[in-house]
Amino acid sequence: MDKPHILQVGPYPEWDQTPLDAAFHAHRYFEAADKAAFLTEHGPKIRAIATRGELGANAAMIAACPNLEVIGVYGVGYDAVDIAACKARGVRVTNTPDVLTKDVADLGVAMMLMQSRGMLGADQWVRDGSWAAKGGYPLQRKVWGRRAGILGLGRIGVEVGKRLAGFGMEIAYSARAPKPEGAGWDYIPDPVALAARSDFLFVTLAANAATRHIVNASVIEALGPDGMLINISRAANIDEEALLAALETKTLGSAALDVFEGEPKLNPRFLALPNVLLQPHHASGTFETRKAMGQLLRDNLSAHFAGQPLPTPVL
Ligand code: 8YV
């Protein structure tokens, strides 16, 4: 039987590409110079789209594939997939939850430690001879025992909380309703109130229309000049203009960010700021986790074409 034709939106590592090519006839959208012409030529035979969290699948792409049955996202976030178009067409959507949760939490906590203890600057202090020439590195801020807020207690938020508990932090969270996983932590549904009682505010929300700019100027102001904002979710959850203004005027102490509007071309104002730690959207970026994500993406597509239940459907 002919292998199903799929549209591959972005590149995958070789260890994912090889088995993908063995199971499917993959049409590499990302290599096409003329994307519209590519879609016109190949769209009608496409039965699945294989994409990545940050790339998704937009309305034009979905419309160009009249025989589309399923979209597989290599990532937990599916906010870049036009879900309304998929619903209207009966197109199934899958993602790769769970396998990446702990890596994402690890990176968020590492960013907090790195930024609070000034580790980037400390490394530089050793390398440039400042240690020998000037003496000890300027004192930084402690992490353990301070107050952490978790905005969105989903799978990733829970894992962040478990790690912070190990630092003896006072943990609070916001979610639509109190959660059993948050037992022992304070439930503060209002993001402004959560920020006001937090030294560190972790943004771990799935992004959708309702959460867009949930971290607005008021939340940032409430976090204040001693506060740190850590984002390991999606840039759209934060009003980036308000964040930049607050970092520039120091009405917010600092930020540690793995995601940006328009990434990888982030706003150049970030590059001029000493009080922000910048990471290239790599919270799930370990060999172990990315391999598990690739496997789960393929398992979903294979299950679909075998007429079996999808392992991790979102739609
Ligand atoms: C990945 C992500 O960086 O899971 C997500 O939603 O954004 C990340 O895990 C991305 O999908 C890999 O391309």
Side-chain angles (χ1 to χ4, degrees), residues 52-54 74-77 100 234 281 284 290 293:
R52 303 197 328 215
E54 74 279 27
Y74 172 85
V76 68
L100 49 66
R234 285 289 187 268
H281 195 157
S284 69
R290 288 286 168 86
M293 289 163 63

Side-chain angles (χ1 to χ4, degrees), residues 13 15-16 52 54 74 99-100 103 280-296 298:
W15 57 76
D16 284 324
R52 303 197 328 215
E54 74 279 27
Y74 172 85
V99 293
L100 49 66
D103 266 358
H281 195 157
H282 73 136
S284 69
T286 65
F287 286 108
E288 296 86 347
T289 288
R290 288 286 168 86
K291 283 185 178 176
M293 289 163 63
Q295 184 66 56
L296 189 50
R298 292 191 300 282

Side-chain angles (χ1 to χ4, degrees), residues 194-256:
L194 182 73
R197 58 70 69 198
S198 298
D199 299 308
F200 302 93
L201 184 65
F202 286 82
V203 188
T204 53
L205 285 162
N208 55 44
T211 67
R212 186 175 160 74
H213 291 189
I214 188 166
V215 178
N216 57 20
S218 308
V219 174
I220 293 167
E221 191 189 333
L223 194 53
D226 259 346
M228 183 191 300
L229 184 67
I230 298 131
N231 192 8
I232 45 174
S233 61
R234 285 289 187 268
N237 286 334
I238 295 180
D239 180 341
E240 213 173 69
E241 273 302 313
L243 173 61
L244 278 161
L247 287 168
E248 284 165 352
T249 55
K250 301 197 175 68
T251 51
L252 175 67
S254 62

